[in-house]
Amino acid sequence: MAAEPTRVLILGGTGEALALARALEGEPGLDAIYSVAGATRAPRLPALATRRGGFGGTAGLTGYLYRHGIECLVDATHPFAARISANAAEAARAAGIPLLAVQRPGWTPGPGERWQRVADTAAAARALGREPRRVLLTIGRQEVPAFCAAPQHTYIIRCVEPPERAPPCAEPLLQRGPLRYAEERALLHERAVEVLVTKDAGGTATRSKLDAARDCGVAVVMVERPRLPAAAHTVATPAEALGWLRALSNRDDRWADGVYR
Ligand SMILES: NC(=O)c1ccc[n+]([C@@H]2O[C@H](COP(=O)([O-])OP(=O)(O)OC[C@H]3O[C@@H](n4cnc5c(N)ncnc54)[C@H](OP(=O)(O)O)[C@@H]3O)[C@@H](O)[C@H]2O)c1
């Protein structure tokens, strides 16, 4: 008799999570559910079973894992989504199941690149200085209010949906990335951008804005990643995650005495 497929919950909301979920469509040994927070009105979703919205903290997520017979939790959320990653680590431990973290490496400056690294968005707002400047914010809408503390600057705010609160001199730019190098360069030029503020998201998809900033002489303020809980199993790419999950589903000795080994 064929073994039951391994039930997997993917915490998503990133390109990597979506690529992994799409790779799992029709994968015989793995039965995956894809979860998004529900913060964006029209998230990109795979053809897998999906769910939307928070679980209700660690306890809610742990309960979900039990109720749905989840045997492996994949945290493929954004490197700046620290709360859900902490909850995932705690819930997987409580449920006694493995946690696989999909974490793309952060960016490193190449030749000719000098970034001012700051700990958070409040520090980024301070780093802009006293003199009024034209600033491109690519930090997501939730972080925009931090720049109300520096109202002397003009902000071009790029996000998928409008922020709830913004500094007085704001030019919203509703766009879903990633943009190509030529588009990024044209934007910096047309909007006369002097400073780019971005988060160290890492990956290749959105690096073109940094390449364009370097070539246009635009200063870069880089918000560092938050500290995430260490996961026992970490991979950098969806392909590696798929390989890891396939190996897991092929093991017939996953459980002994109700404990994952
Ligand atoms: N932060 C970013 O810069 C960024 C960028 C691109 C995409 N995203 C994606 O947007 C989502 C929210 O990001 P965030 O920074 O607001 O996260 P967060 O601060 O770590 O999480 C806030 C709350 O949202 C819920 N949540 C987050 N991700 C979820 C998921 N995949 N499925 C179900 N519930 C989820 C959880 O609610 P409960 O406690 O109620 O379970 C969590 O406590 C994440 O899925 C992330 O991958 C974030």
Side-chain angles (χ1 to χ4, degrees):
M1 201 175 73
E4 289 288 309
T6 305
R7 285 183 66 75
V8 177
L9 175 64
I10 302 172
L11 300 173
T14 59
E16 284 84 354
L18 193 62
L20 174 61
R22 288 189 169 147
L24 288 175
E25 291 166 9
E27 180 77 22
L30 294 156
D31 179 13
I33 303 170
Y34 184 80
S35 174
V36 288
T40 21
R41 269 195 287 276
R44 293 176 301 157
L45 295 172
L48 292 175
T50 57
R51 64 165 304 288
R52 288 174 75 159
F55 296 93
T58 305
L61 178 55
T62 308
Y64 184 95
L65 298 176
Y66 277 119
R67 277 197 310 283
H68 292 265
I70 303 297
E71 296 168 273
C72 176
L73 181 59
V74 178
D75 177 8
T77 58
H78 193 269
F80 280 80
R83 186 136 48 103
I84 188 70
S85 291
N87 292 354
E90 191 56 38
R93 198 166 27 248
I97 63 170
L99 170 71
L100 175 66
V102 185
Q103 278 174 18
R104 57 177 103 131
W107 286 315
T108 48
E113 286 181 311
R114 278 219 334 270
W115 305 333
Q116 183 175 359
R117 290 191 180 269
V118 293
D120 52 30
T121 41
R126 288 193 297 274
L128 295 173
R130 286 194 186 173
E131 290 306 309
R133 300 166 95 185
R134 290 187 59 81
V135 182
L136 173 61
L137 293 185
T138 64
I139 46 158
R141 74 190 165 105
Q142 289 177 21
E143 305 284 353
V144 170
F147 293 87
C148 294
Q152 68 274 31
H153 308 296
T154 300
Y155 296 96
I156 298 108
I157 302 173
R158 184 159 80 194
C159 40
V160 179
E161 287 171 17
E164 276 165 19
R165 201 157 67 87
C169 295
E171 301 175 14
L173 182 62
L174 299 185
Q175 276 181 337
R176 193 195 287 269
L179 269 68
R180 289 192 297 266
Y181 171 82
E183 295 168 313
E184 295 286 10
R185 211 180 152 130
L187 171 68
L188 295 177
H189 182 69
E190 283 159 17
R191 302 286 184 120
V193 172
E194 297 170 273
V195 189
L196 166 67
V197 179
T198 190
K199 300 196 289 196
D200 186 6
T204 51
T206 59
R207 204 196 190 284
S208 51
K209 63 187 165 205
L210 293 168
D211 298 338
R214 176 198 59 218
D215 296 346
C216 295
V218 168
V220 173
V221 175
M222 180 71 69
V223 180
E224 301 268 17
R225 291 178 171 201
R227 191 177 286 273
L228 298 181
H233 311 286
T234 303
V235 294
T237 64
E240 289 173 277
L242 179 62
W244 192 92
L245 288 170
R246 278 181 176 153
L248 179 79
S249 73
N250 287 332
R251 285 180 58 183
D252 55 11
D253 61 343
R254 291 197 299 272
W255 297 89
D257 307 326
V259 176
Y260 178 81
R261 291 196 292 185

